[in-house]
Amino acid sequence: MSHAILIPHDLWEEADDAVITAWLSSDGDAVEAGQVVAEIMVQKIQHDILAPAAGRLRILKEADEVVAKGEQIAALEDAS
């Protein structure tokens, strides 16, 4: 089973885009539910992106990429 990691819709109203400023875990790392896996910047405000479940991280978007609200930036695959 896979869980999508998405850019939240409700962090800001005015801008449509955010920038991934850093990945705090690497592609293939095992992460826990609630762990901060990435940081994004929206209108000069930094936001943490949390893992919605435990699993192995598969990064789909790179740091410094511009992403839209609701866009999938990574996936979590079963760690087994």
Side-chain angles (χ1 to χ4, degrees):
M1 179 179 215
S2 179
H3 296 277
I5 298 178
L6 306 173
I7 298 297
H9 286 277
D10 59 352
L11 289 180
W12 67 96
E13 294 179 12
E14 296 173 13
D16 289 330
D17 298 327
V19 176
I20 300 170
T21 56
W23 282 100
L24 304 181
S25 296
S26 298
D27 191 61
D29 283 356
V31 298
E32 298 297 322
Q35 180 178 334
V36 178
V37 294
E39 295 174 340
I40 62 171
M41 178 75 68
V42 180
Q43 298 174 333
K44 299 183 183 179
I45 299 172
Q46 192 83 11
H47 297 280
D48 292 338
I49 301 296
L50 307 178
R56 193 153 309 279
L57 182 67
R58 293 291 171 223
I59 295 174
L60 304 175
K61 301 289 182 178
E62 298 299 321
D64 297 325
E65 265 192 75
V66 176
V67 292
K69 291 179 184 180
E71 188 170 351
Q72 183 173 356
I73 60 170
L76 290 170
E77 300 170 351
D78 286 338
S80 56

